[in-house]
């Protein structure tokens, strides 16, 4: 037991009426038994953390490489590519609350309420992911092909990630164990972003995508000069993307198996005492009226939009604006962007060494800015449970709508950014691009993210749950869980306890 923990519990118990304490005659013994039962081993925490890797690995691969893959490998025109990116992200945003709604209505099974979603979505998700990186032989209908499998994969990965995110609240009833497991998860997710970028970038980087030396040359002239060489090189690049997809799909399956075998889903003690589940739309109304949740969403919206803009356009920026066609996959291992480093990239001349230094320094800051808001969400949910002690089953709503707004907004931003490349004269498979395209890419990767990050930081200043508030919530929730776990606690006493807390 941590130092001071018993004192905290005692002070919380002192707030309760004598009748409630007498209902459980051995509060200290109940607490010790409860803590021992809900303590997670290092193996359990690692198995839980590994489950966060599939979403990050596939997300980074798609975020950094899908746009340049559609434009230069699949040879989809920029307007169609913008449609694919926008509709895919917008559909991904819509599926989050839909899946959250379905999960909130799902019954508890022998495997739990969340685990079945993770298990059954995995095999279909890896098939859809592989087909995203497959170039069909037909030209007509290519846009529909990529749009279909992109939307299908985003739906299936949502069926994995929303229940996995909500699983944070069900791996243990001990707040300290949840915090520890979340720390493991954040570490693995950071590694997952690096792993996804490394696998996709290094495999694809070994194949050189053919380009047109003269951007104004006609397609007929290109086919007449280098037709065989270009076709062979393009096929090698397509095979490289398929190989990377196969490796990432294998990682997806392995992580899902480890998560399923190593984590056991638990129900909250006070949840089992509730008469009936909360209606979805009433729960949604309560969630969206919770002040700390709205402030956290607003800050996360702008900061994540900044990173998604950089993520979607950085490969094109390195290739055409900076001129590092054969080095961008290595830069992606380090870059994730932050304000000072984006300013430096915007102002500096094309210099490979300086770009590497900036990328390494930026990577240190992005993990905190992008992943820490996820670690703040359980604190918001705990605060909600204290203010609404009789409401349960809202965790999927919290997690699904947390990403709904950011994904929808990112779909709009990426669609507009790709469409802006079409308006400025982007040349598919060109070895170089017009000056207007280079300027547009620089604005999308530097100035726009800087403004969004600054707005997000200002919104995070309004976040009301500080460390003192978090400790108070933890102490009150612990008392609530211990009393609910006591066999002698009646429904009336539980109601009184919740009201007092």
């Amino acid at each position: 037991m941590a130092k001071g923990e018993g004192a905290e519990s005692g002070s919380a118990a002192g707030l309760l009426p004598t009748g409630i304490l007498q209902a459980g005659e051995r509060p200290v013994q109940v607490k010790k038994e409860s803590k021992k039962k809900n303590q997670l081993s290092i193996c359990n925490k690692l198995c839980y953390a590994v489950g966060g890797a599939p979403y990050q690995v596939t997300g980074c691969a798609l975020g950094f490489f899908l746009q340049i893959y559609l434009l230069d490998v699949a040879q989809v025109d920029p307007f169609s590519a913008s449609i694919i990116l926008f509709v895919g992200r917008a559909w991904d945003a819509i599926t989050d609350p839909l899946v959250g709604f379905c999960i909130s209505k799902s019954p508890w099974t022998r495997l739990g309420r969340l685990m079945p979603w993770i298990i059954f979505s995995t095999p279909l998700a890896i098939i859809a992911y592989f087909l995203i990186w497959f170039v069909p032989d037909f030209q007509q209908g290519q846009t529909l092909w990529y749009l279909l499998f992109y939307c299908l994969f985003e739906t299936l990965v949502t069926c994995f990630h929303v229940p996995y995110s909500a699983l944070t609240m069900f791996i243990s009833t001990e707040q300290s164990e949840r915090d520890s497991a979340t720390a493991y998860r954040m570490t693995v997710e950071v590694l997952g972003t690096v792993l996804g970028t490394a696998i996709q970038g290094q495999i694809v980087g070994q194949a050189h995508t053919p380009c047109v030396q003269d951007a104004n040359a006609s397609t007929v002239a290109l086919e007449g000069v280098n037709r065989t060489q270009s076709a062979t090189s393009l096929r090698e690049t397509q095979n490289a993307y398929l190989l990377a997809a196969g490796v990432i799909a294998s990682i997806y399956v392995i992580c899902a198996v480890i998560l399923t075998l190593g984590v056991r889903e638990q129900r909250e003690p006070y949840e089992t005492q509730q008469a009936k589940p909360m209606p979805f739309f009433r729960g949604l109304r309560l969630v969206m009226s919770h002040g700390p949740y709205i402030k956290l969403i607003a800050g996360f919206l702008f900061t994540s939009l900044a990173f998604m803009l950089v993520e979607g356009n950085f490969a094109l920026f390195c290739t055409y604006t900076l001129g590092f066609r054969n080095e961008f996959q290595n830069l992606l291992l380090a870059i994730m962007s932050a304000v000072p480093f984006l300013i430096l990239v915007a102002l500096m001349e094309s210099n490979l060494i300086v770009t590497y230094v900036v990328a390494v320094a930026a990577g240190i800051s992005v993990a905190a800015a992008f992943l820490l808001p996820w670690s703040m969400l359980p604190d918001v949910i705990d605060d909600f449970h204290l203010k609404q002690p009789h409401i349960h089953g809202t965790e999927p709503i919290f997690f699904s709508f947390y990403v709904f707004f950011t994904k929808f907004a990112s779909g709009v931003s990426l669609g507009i950014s790709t469409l802006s490349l079409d308006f400025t004269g982007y040349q598919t498979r060109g070895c170089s691009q017009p000056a207007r395209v280079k300027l547009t890419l620089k604005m999308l990767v530097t100035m726009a993210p800087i403004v969004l990050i600054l707005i997000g930081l200002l919104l995070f200043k309004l976040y009301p749950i500080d460390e003192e508030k978090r400790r108070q919530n933890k102490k009150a929730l612990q008392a609530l869980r211990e009393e609910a776990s006591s066999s002698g606690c009646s429904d009336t006493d539980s109601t009184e306890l919740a009201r007092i807390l």
Side-chain angles (χ1 to χ4, degrees):
M1 182 182 301
K3 183 178 180 180
E5 201 165 18
E8 289 181 357
S9 177
S11 62
L15 298 175
L16 306 178
T18 307
I20 295 181
L21 286 178
Q22 290 176 345
E25 296 179 355
R26 299 182 304 275
V28 177
Q29 182 178 352
V30 170
K31 178 178 179 180
K32 290 181 178 179
E33 292 176 355
S34 175
K35 290 199 69 171
K36 183 176 180 181
K37 178 181 178 181
N38 294 289
Q39 188 173 9
L40 298 174
S41 66
I42 294 179
C43 181
N44 293 139
K45 295 174 184 177
L46 287 174
C47 291
Y48 166 73
V50 165
Y55 183 78
Q56 299 298 335
V57 172
T58 57
C60 276
L62 288 169
F64 278 118
F65 290 91
L66 183 59
Q67 185 183 48
I68 195 171
Y69 165 80
L70 291 174
L71 293 174
D72 289 355
V73 180
Q75 300 182 41
V76 177
D77 64 273
F79 178 78
S80 298
S82 68
I83 296 297
I84 294 171
L85 293 172
F86 166 69
V87 175
R89 288 295 182 100
W91 174 252
D92 186 23
I94 295 173
T95 57
D96 281 282
L98 289 177
V99 171
F101 171 78
C102 294
I103 292 175
S104 66
K105 296 299 182 181
S106 299
W108 279 83
T109 66
R110 185 173 60 87
L111 297 174
R113 184 173 64 182
L114 305 174
M115 278 297 185
W117 288 83
I118 294 173
I119 294 172
F120 293 112
S121 65
T122 296
L124 298 176
I126 61 173
I127 294 174
Y129 179 79
F130 186 81
L131 292 176
I132 291 175
W133 304 104
F134 176 78
V135 180
D137 294 332
F138 51 85
Q139 292 293 328
Q140 296 294 332
Q142 266 196 349
T143 301
L144 182 61
W145 170 280
Y146 291 112
L147 185 60
L148 172 64
F149 287 109
Y150 186 32
C151 291
L152 180 60
F153 172 74
E154 294 294 353
T155 302
L156 293 168
V157 80
T158 298
C159 292
F160 181 101
H161 193 250
V162 168
Y164 171 75
S165 299
L167 190 62
T168 306
M169 309 302 296
F170 297 97
I171 57 176
S172 175
T173 58
E174 290 290 334
Q175 183 64 36
S176 60
E177 294 298 307
R178 292 177 178 176
D179 293 342
S180 178
T182 300
Y184 278 80
R185 173 191 168 188
M186 293 294 103
T187 302
V188 172
E189 288 190 347
V190 171
L191 295 176
T193 60
V194 177
L195 184 63
T197 305
I199 293 174
Q200 188 82 10
Q202 295 304 310
I203 294 178
V204 170
Q206 302 304 313
H208 299 288
T209 305
C211 62
V212 180
Q213 294 292 340
D214 183 2
N216 296 319
S218 65
T219 304
V220 176
L222 173 66
E223 292 180 353
V225 177
N226 291 320
R227 180 177 182 181
T228 303
Q229 181 180 0
S230 177
T232 301
S233 181
L234 184 60
R235 176 57 62 184
E236 291 177 355
T237 304
Q238 294 171 356
N239 291 337
Y241 274 96
L242 287 177
L243 177 59
V247 174
I248 290 177
S250 300
I251 294 175
Y252 194 117
V253 174
I254 293 172
C255 292
V257 171
I258 293 175
L259 172 66
T260 304
L261 297 178
V263 176
R264 183 173 64 88
E265 188 176 346
Q266 302 180 30
R267 300 184 74 170
E268 285 279 16
Y270 58 81
E271 180 182 341
T272 59
Q273 298 177 3
Q274 306 300 324
K276 59 181 180 179
M278 166 65 56
F280 176 79
F281 289 103
R282 184 188 171 194
L284 176 61
R285 179 174 58 83
L286 291 173
V287 167
M288 298 309 297
S289 62
H290 190 53
Y293 184 61
I294 298 301
K295 293 180 176 65
L296 184 60
I297 282 181
F300 185 60
L301 170 65
F302 285 94
T303 54
S304 61
L305 274 179
F307 297 128
M308 289 177 183
L309 271 178
V310 176
E311 183 183 64
N313 295 281
F314 191 75
L316 291 172
F317 175 73
C318 288
T319 300
Y320 296 114
T321 303
L322 298 182
F324 302 142
R325 172 177 291 273
N326 297 324
E327 293 290 336
F328 79 89
Q329 71 274 7
N330 297 322
L331 292 170
L332 290 180
L333 286 175
I335 187 68
M336 287 286 187
S337 93
V339 171
F341 311 111
L342 291 176
I343 294 175
L344 182 57
V345 170
L347 298 178
M348 72 180 184
E349 296 295 329
S350 179
N351 187 295
L352 181 59
I353 302 300
V354 175
T355 304
Y356 268 110
V357 174
V358 171
V360 172
I364 298 174
S365 61
V366 69
F370 192 68
L371 295 177
L372 278 182
W374 278 101
S375 67
M376 299 161 67
L377 185 55
D379 296 333
V380 173
I381 297 176
D382 286 341
D383 185 72
F384 176 83
H385 283 161
L386 284 175
K387 294 179 179 178
Q388 305 287 344
H390 299 294
I391 306 300
H392 68 92
T394 56
E395 289 83 2
I397 300 177
F398 271 102
F399 282 95
S400 60
F401 275 88
Y402 192 59
V403 295
F404 168 77
F405 298 103
T406 56
K407 287 184 177 180
F408 187 83
S410 71
V412 174
S413 64
L414 288 177
I416 293 176
S417 66
T418 308
L419 195 61
S420 65
L421 296 179
D422 187 28
F423 290 153
T424 54
Y426 181 87
Q427 301 290 331
T428 301
R429 292 177 59 193
C431 291
S432 62
Q433 297 292 338
R436 292 182 301 172
V437 173
K438 295 179 180 180
L439 178 61
T440 301
L441 286 170
K442 176 174 281 192
M443 293 298 101
L444 291 173
V445 174
T446 57
M447 298 309 300
I450 289 171
V451 174
L452 292 171
I453 289 175
L454 292 177
I455 295 175
L457 292 177
L458 290 175
L459 291 171
F460 276 130
K461 289 287 291 182
L462 303 176
Y463 181 68
I465 301 179
D466 55 14
E467 186 60 29
E468 179 62 26
K469 178 68 173 177
R470 184 174 179 272
R471 282 197 298 265
Q472 295 175 0
N473 289 350
K474 176 182 177 180
K475 183 166 54 177
L477 274 174
Q478 189 64 33
L480 178 60
R481 293 187 180 108
E482 289 169 6
E483 191 60 34
S485 299
S486 176
S487 59
C489 183
S490 64
D491 291 340
T492 303
D493 290 339
S494 297
T495 302
E496 185 178 1
L497 172 67
R499 177 182 59 79
I500 293 170
L501 291 175

